[in-house]
């Protein structure tokens, strides 16, 4: 009895390509389809009908890959995606990657083995070229983090405009020595935020001191370490653009321990507008997490409904500056006083 390996051998194609033709996947050339069908006829090969039915059935399950579940931003985003999924009788399979490349690929295998109908990536650990191959097995959406050249739906906030607005706000408040905290890594979200910061600094003719650009800063503990490093500097910044509200809160907490007045000695601005930002009175950049989560799930449903006919959508939400006391100077003093 002929096997799929026999078909692959006769056509000179890989087993995976033959499988894609048999299972009617998109993005296979007509020439390859013709070669596979001719080989199947010649070899009298018939696919396993039970396996085909298994591959074609819907699970009504969507995998959502989250880097760290304890991060309030991702927890809130996941909550909104789940709400939208429930409204459409879909279920979520929550997968925590812990920023691990291998784990991310293992979770993507769920799509390959048809255990889920689609995958939502809220962060990206591997190079896009390594992820791209999985798009032949079902829809993959990028939510929050993104690769602009990827031909899949993308839903995210305008990071460049957001960080530019935050940096400009600090400058307009009178701060001239502005530090920047980055999450690190090579993601486009990370690089775009830094682009916005540097653009504002350049526009106002202010220098960017590389020793004030802190990398791999993620949480409250990291924010506290940033302040400890700053107080040991002879040339200190007078403001910090934190990469998240968690980092911003850590900076404020440690600054108070070190005897620094917020915002006279050190202004702080965060990112996301999490609940902790309101607690510590942190100026921040608000991301419309509810809208991003809702639209992401709706786009996934469109992809599942239309499949090949669906054109990848891209939506970029505007971000909003929320001003609180961590950057708002009172009449009692100014930066230069």
């Amino acid at each position: 009895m002929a096997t799929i390996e026999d078909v692959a051998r006769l056509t000179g194609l890989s087993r995976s390509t033959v499988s894609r033709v048999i299972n009617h996947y998109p993005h296979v050339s007509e020439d390859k389809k013709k070669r596979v069908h001719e080989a199947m006829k010649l070899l009298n090969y018939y696919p396993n009908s039970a396996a085909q039915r298994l591959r074609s059935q819907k699970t009504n399950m969507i995998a959502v890959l989250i880097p760290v579940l304890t991060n309030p931003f991702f927890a809130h985003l996941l909550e909104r995606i789940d709400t939208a999924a429930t409204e459409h009788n879909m279920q979520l399979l929550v997968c925590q990657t812990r920023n691990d490349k291998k784990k991310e690929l293992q979770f993507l295998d769920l799509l390959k083995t048809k255990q889920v109908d689609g995958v939502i990536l809220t962060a990206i650990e591997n190079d896009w070229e390594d992820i791209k191959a999985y798009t032949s097995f079902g829809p993959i959406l990028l939510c929050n983090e993104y690769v602009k050249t990827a031909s899949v739906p993308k839903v995210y906030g305008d990071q460049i405009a957001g960080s530019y607005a935050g940096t400009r706000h600090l400058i307009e408040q009178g701060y001239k020595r502005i530090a920047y905290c980055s999450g690190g890594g090579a993601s486009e979200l990370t690089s775009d935020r830094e682009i916005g910061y540097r653009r504002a600094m350049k526009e106002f003719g202010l220098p960017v001191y590389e020793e004030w650009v802190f990398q791999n800063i993620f949480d409250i503990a990291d924010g506290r370490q940033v302040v400890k490093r700053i107080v040991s500097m002879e040339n200190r910044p007078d403001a910090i653009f934190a990469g998240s509200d968690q980092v911003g809160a850590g900076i404020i907490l440690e600054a108070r321990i070190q005897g620094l007045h917020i915002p006279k000695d050190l202004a702080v601005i965060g990112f996301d507008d999490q609940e902790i930002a309101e607690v510590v009175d942190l100026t921040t950049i608000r991301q419309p997490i509810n809208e991003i989560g809702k639209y992401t799930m709706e786009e996934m449903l469109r992809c599942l409904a239309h499949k090949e006919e669906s054109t990848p959508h891209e939506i970029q939400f505007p971000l909003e500056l929320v001003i609180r006391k961590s950057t708002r100077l009172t009449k009692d003093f100014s930066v230069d006083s």
Side-chain angles (χ1 to χ4, degrees):
M1 185 188 303
T3 66
I4 192 171
E5 285 79 9
D6 296 325
V7 177
R9 193 177 302 111
L10 183 59
T11 60
L13 300 172
S14 68
R15 187 186 187 282
S16 62
T17 299
V18 173
S19 178
R20 288 175 187 147
V21 173
I22 293 172
N23 292 291
H24 310 291
Y25 283 108
H27 314 304
V28 180
S29 70
E30 292 301 321
D31 174 67
K32 290 178 180 178
K33 290 179 183 178
K34 182 179 179 182
R35 287 158 62 184
V36 169
H37 290 307
E38 288 178 349
M40 289 170 63
K41 186 176 181 179
L42 184 64
L43 293 168
N44 200 28
Y45 170 75
Y46 296 95
N48 184 301
S49 58
Q52 279 195 303
R53 285 196 299 272
L54 177 63
R55 286 189 288 267
S56 63
Q57 73 182 16
K58 289 185 65 177
T59 66
N60 290 328
M61 182 82 71
I62 303 299
V64 183
L65 274 58
I66 302 286
V68 184
L69 287 170
T70 53
N71 185 313
F73 172 82
F74 290 106
H76 192 173
L77 179 61
L78 179 63
E79 170 65 24
R80 192 61 192 93
I81 294 173
D82 182 63
T83 299
T86 301
E87 291 171 357
H88 295 89
N89 299 314
M90 301 290 287
Q91 292 182 313
L92 298 186
L93 178 62
V94 181
C95 307
Q96 182 174 231
T97 67
R98 296 187 183 275
N99 305 115
D100 186 299
K101 291 184 176 182
K102 185 177 179 181
K103 289 191 71 173
E104 181 177 72
L105 295 179
Q106 289 174 340
F107 289 134
L108 284 168
D109 279 336
L110 296 171
L111 185 62
K112 185 177 180 179
T113 56
K114 297 301 175 184
Q115 297 181 64
V116 296
D117 296 331
V119 172
I120 295 172
L121 294 173
T122 64
I124 303 170
E125 309 306 332
N126 289 274
D127 293 335
W128 177 250
E129 287 305 309
D130 295 322
I131 298 174
K132 184 179 178 181
Y134 289 89
T135 60
S136 63
F137 301 108
I140 295 177
L141 273 68
L142 303 183
C143 169
N144 175 55
E145 204 160 313
Y146 48 87
V147 176
K148 292 174 184 174
T149 57
S151 57
V152 298
K154 296 176 279 288
V155 186
Y156 59 98
D158 190 342
Q159 305 299 317
I160 294 177
S163 59
Y164 172 87
T167 307
R168 178 166 183 152
H169 166 70
L170 290 171
I171 295 169
E172 290 176 341
Q173 286 292 94
Y175 301 97
K176 298 179 176 64
R177 305 188 308 278
I178 303 172
Y180 181 80
C181 295
S182 171
S187 75
E188 291 190 29
L189 180 149
T190 299
S191 61
D192 279 356
R193 283 190 186 176
E194 189 166 334
I195 286 171
Y197 157 74
R198 290 180 181 272
R199 181 176 295 175
M201 295 293 282
K202 182 178 180 181
E203 184 177 301
F204 285 87
L206 298 176
V208 173
Y209 296 100
E210 295 306 319
E211 62 268 28
W212 292 352
V213 178
F214 301 95
Q215 300 289 341
N216 300 311
I217 307 299
F218 298 102
D219 53 27
I220 290 176
D222 292 335
R224 298 186 70 167
Q225 288 302 315
V226 166
V227 175
K228 291 177 181 179
R229 290 164 64 180
I230 284 175
V231 295
S232 66
M233 295 178 177
E234 290 187 14
N235 182 29
R236 297 183 185 179
D238 57 9
I240 304 178
F241 197 131
S244 73
D245 294 333
Q246 295 284 303
V247 173
I251 290 171
I252 289 175
L253 292 173
E254 185 63 30
R256 290 170 178 166
I257 292 173
Q258 297 290 337
L260 300 177
H261 188 286
I262 304 292
K264 181 180 180 181
D265 300 323
L266 187 67
V268 189
I269 185 169
F271 215 103
D272 296 334
D273 197 27
Q274 300 172 15
E275 290 181 358
I276 195 171
E278 188 171 3
V279 171
V280 299
D281 232 335
L282 174 66
T283 293
T284 189
I285 305 299
R286 176 181 293 155
Q287 297 210 72
I289 300 178
N290 288 341
E291 290 82 355
I292 290 173
K294 180 176 183 292
Y295 191 92
T296 296
M297 194 62 222
E298 290 175 349
E299 184 62 21
M300 173 60 76
L301 293 169
R302 278 192 287 270
C303 289
L304 292 171
H306 300 292
K307 295 182 180 178
E308 293 183 43
E309 294 80 12
S310 179
T311 302
H313 289 72
E314 176 175 336
I315 182 167
Q316 186 184 70
F317 284 93
L319 306 186
E320 178 188 355
L321 173 66
V322 179
I323 302 173
R324 297 192 177 98
K325 290 183 180 179
S326 68
T327 63
R328 187 168 52 204
L329 293 172
T330 68
K331 294 180 181 180
D332 298 333
F333 54 79
S334 66
V335 173
D336 298 324
S337 64

